[in-house]
Amino acid sequence: MSKDSKKPLSTWNLNPAPESTEHIKLKEQYELFINGEWQKPTAGLYFDTVNPASQEKLANIAHANDADVDKAVKAAREAYTNVWSKMSGKERGKYLFRIARLIQEKAREFAVIETLDGGKPIRESRDIDIPLAANHFFYYAGWADKLEFAFPNKKVESIGVAAQIIPWNFPLLMAAWKIAPALAAGNTVVLKPAETTSLTALKLAEIIEESGLPAGVVNIITGFGDTGSALVNHPDVDKIAFTGSTNVGKMIQKSTAETDKRLTLELGGKSANIIFEDAAIDQAVEGIVNGIFFNQGHVCCAGSRLFVQEGVAAEVIQKLKDRIDTLVVGDPMDKNTDIGAINSQKQWESISKYLELGVNEGNEMYQGKCAIPEKGLYFPPTIFIDVAQSSRLVQEEIFGPVLTIQTFRTVDEVIQKANNTPYGLAAGVWTDKGSKIFNVTSKLRSGVVWANTYNKFDPTSPFGGYKESGFGREGGLHGLASYLK
Ligand code: ADP
């Protein structure tokens, strides 16, 4: 179709290519996985987990209260003291390898459930979330019997019981990021997934059961913020690993201030993508699109602020507009879909408020001309052009498919602007000059900086933030170190 025809390019005649859901067996009701058993919640309370694309209920999920949290922590403590801390690294590694292989065997099932429960495109669950989750288990399985080589000249020891709380944007992957290094280092775990996306963590519990992992080494409990709060405040927890919002992260930090609990926080972000005039523009535009519209912008390290050098601003903005017109928004289960469903009504409303704010501020807005399904929680790819540095759109995390664009002239100016937010999680630099990459990346206050690419993850690479994006690293040897003393 020619670019001049004014029709949205997403009306290319793509035949629907839905992934089958027939082979998926979900239980009607999920209990709590405590001490190797499926236990009913003490208060008998359950909540619904819903498919955000169709709004259909998928299953009942148990709501754990303080008593359930206590049972889970006790089970983890007993397993730590009596079994796991005494087991050789080689034996621990075998279990981790087994879990990794079981995730691979059931990869298709995991991918479909992730998409059903969370709304992310199946292409992404299938090609990114699930393979990376398995890779994290493989990677840390390899370290389990080599801790003295990982940290030469140090005598390392496990910490004890780890409380792990994860968000809804990468449910299985975040569970793998947290559980794999904790177990490799010899700790036991109580993990709480986010309330809107518990299913793949519960599926992981089924695999853990199948792997024969000793009872209590991994406990998976479900619930809302009250469950998370009871878990982090439990006196017998030694280490807390939290990924989620900056607000909750701050609350957790306060509540642990007078304890000797170890804490790592991976919080929000407002990451900058910087395009210099000498960049390969087409590749950069593709990288920007991937950086912010990937996973509906539900990525803490989403490249949500674009800085373009003035000489190429008009070209980049035009190319971006053309590209977002072609994005396919809709059924997450369709393999053609680029942007799936927003994860919850609450999140959809929050993104809409920022949109209203951006329009009221008088910013120029452009939305992709892609067709949006009438039913379900969808949002078109949206860009705001020439936004002021002081705007809330530039300063606050939107966590949706919304990109702000600012221009710059000099390297010093862009570094100053890119660093001028409360966050510091990730950034991207696009340029043809290696020296510029080293100069800029060394001055950006971000935990991760990608050069001429964006959103690339690997189990060997540490990930984490500066400032209000949190502290501590996950992935790689740094990620292992935070589960050892
Ligand atoms: P988001 O805004 O991305 O949903 P949250 O920080 O609210 O992020 O949620 C991330 C995780 O933290 C979820 O598993 C949630 O249930 C949990 N959580 C929410 N409130 C608390 C709290 N006060 N203490 C501990 N965990 C919490």
Side-chain angles (χ1 to χ4, degrees):
M1 181 188 289
S2 98
K3 225 171 67 181
D4 305 324
S5 70
K6 297 276 191 270
K7 271 193 174 169
L9 294 182
S10 58
T11 55
W12 277 337
N13 287 329
L14 293 171
N15 286 332
E19 172 67 56
S20 161
T21 53
E22 275 161 24
H23 57 301
I24 302 304
K25 288 186 217 86
L26 289 177
K27 293 183 203 162
E28 259 175 47
Q29 184 159 299
Y30 286 86
E31 314 296 347
L32 306 167
F33 186 65
I34 298 177
N35 206 19
E37 290 167 355
W38 293 94
Q39 303 196 12
K40 291 202 174 293
T42 314
L45 294 178
Y46 294 85
F47 60 95
D48 295 351
T49 194
V50 172
N51 175 342
S54 66
Q55 301 288 303
E56 280 160 20
K57 175 176 167 177
L58 293 166
N60 287 323
I61 307 287
H63 186 165
N65 66 7
D66 293 13
D68 300 311
V69 168
D70 188 51
K71 272 198 231 168
V73 174
K74 282 204 171 102
R77 172 63 60 194
E78 271 180 34
Y80 177 74
T81 312
N82 302 330
V83 185
W84 201 244
S85 64
K86 293 187 177 151
M87 194 182 277
S88 70
K90 194 170 149 201
E91 288 304 307
R92 289 200 309 272
K94 282 188 198 166
Y95 286 107
L96 288 169
F97 277 122
R98 207 175 293 160
I99 295 169
R101 281 194 298 268
L102 284 165
I103 295 175
Q104 277 186 328
E105 266 173 36
K106 295 181 202 249
R108 184 55 60 99
E109 197 180 346
F110 267 111
V112 173
I113 296 175
E114 200 71 300
T115 288
L116 279 174
D117 204 20
K120 65 169 58 192
I122 184 71
R123 234 172 40 213
E124 197 178 299
S125 323
R126 184 194 64 191
D127 299 345
I128 297 169
D129 294 56
I130 312 304
L132 264 178
N135 285 351
H136 271 268
F137 277 100
F138 277 122
Y139 174 73
Y140 284 112
W143 278 124
D145 61 347
K146 303 178 194 68
L147 297 180
E148 71 266 39
F149 301 104
F151 306 100
N153 304 321
K154 285 187 181 155
K155 193 177 172 303
V156 290
E157 271 176 52
S158 55
I159 298 173
V161 174
Q164 307 182 321
I165 297 187
I166 56 173
W168 46 261
N169 58 344
F170 290 89
L172 184 70
L173 183 58
M174 289 300 110
W177 275 27
K178 297 227 171 342
I179 295 176
L183 297 194
N187 306 280
T188 58
V189 161
V190 181
L191 174 110
K192 190 198 88 65
E195 50 272 31
T196 52
T197 53
S198 307
L199 285 179
T200 46
L202 293 163
K203 210 71 200 163
L204 180 65
E206 290 177 6
I207 277 192
I208 285 170
E209 205 178 4
E210 200 179 329
S211 76
L213 189 78
V217 173
V218 172
N219 305 275
I220 297 187
I221 57 170
T222 43
F224 293 76
D226 58 333
T227 312
S229 172
L231 180 55
V232 295
N233 289 309
H234 193 290
D236 203 26
V237 158
D238 301 303
K239 145 97 192 171
I240 298 166
F242 173 81
T243 301
S245 61
T246 297
N247 278 347
V248 175
K250 283 181 181 170
M251 276 160 55
I252 294 178
Q253 191 171 10
K254 275 189 201 139
S255 73
T256 54
E258 289 182 5
T259 72
D260 62 356
K261 291 176 187 170
R262 285 162 193 249
L263 175 65
T264 46
L265 297 174
E266 203 261 276
L267 309 173
K270 193 72 195 174
S271 302
N273 235 328
I274 303 170
I275 305 189
F276 287 98
E277 279 165 2
D278 55 23
I281 299 296
D282 288 340
Q283 281 94 319
V285 166
E286 209 46 42
I288 305 308
V289 167
N290 172 38
I292 179 66
F293 301 123
F294 166 76
N295 199 22
Q296 301 72 251
H298 293 344
V299 185
C300 12
C301 55
S304 51
R305 290 181 298 149
L306 172 60
F307 291 95
V308 197
Q309 202 160 15
E310 265 182 18
V312 288
E315 181 188 356
V316 167
I317 292 168
Q318 189 54 51
K319 285 190 165 164
L320 259 177
K321 287 178 175 174
D322 291 346
R323 180 67 179 97
I324 66 174
D325 282 346
T326 70
L327 293 175
V328 180
V329 182
D331 181 7
M333 210 51 87
D334 192 312
K335 289 167 213 147
N336 296 317
T337 295
D338 297 304
I339 301 185
I342 302 300
N343 180 263
S344 64
Q345 181 72 29
K346 183 177 144 220
Q347 190 56 30
W348 192 90
E349 282 164 14
S350 159
I351 303 168
S352 304
K353 282 209 180 102
Y354 279 104
L355 211 76
E356 208 181 302
L357 190 136
V359 173
N360 289 344
E361 273 182 1
N363 298 297
E364 179 188 344
M365 181 179 79
Y366 185 86
Q367 292 193 301
K369 295 200 187 83
C370 7
I372 306 289
E374 277 170 20
K375 201 169 159 240
L377 300 168
Y378 293 99
F379 219 94
T382 303
I383 58 182
F384 282 101
I385 299 161
D386 263 340
V387 189
Q389 181 71 21
S390 56
S391 165
R392 283 178 58 199
L393 291 186
V394 166
Q395 293 294 328
E396 296 177 13
E397 186 177 40
I398 301 175
F399 227 65
V402 181
L403 175 72
T404 59
I405 303 183
Q406 296 168 266
T407 57
F408 68 94
R409 288 187 187 162
T410 66
V411 170
D412 288 345
E413 177 192 353
V414 76
I415 289 171
Q416 203 194 14
K417 282 181 172 170
N419 285 338
N420 182 4
T421 76
Y423 297 107
L425 194 53
V429 179
W430 300 81
T431 167
D432 202 24
K433 302 275 179 297
S435 55
K436 209 182 273 174
I437 291 176
F438 287 114
N439 178 27
V440 175
T441 53
S442 65
K443 290 175 183 152
L444 287 173
R445 302 252 303 139
S446 303
V448 181
V449 186
W450 285 289
N452 294 325
T453 188
Y454 206 85
N455 270 342
K456 289 280 179 292
F457 301 95
D458 187 274
T460 61
S461 303
F463 183 90
Y466 277 74
K467 301 189 277 184
E468 290 198 12
S469 292
F471 48 81
R473 296 289 176 263
E474 293 187 300
L477 281 179
H478 295 72
L480 191 59
S482 54
Y483 284 98
L484 289 162
K485 55 183 175 189

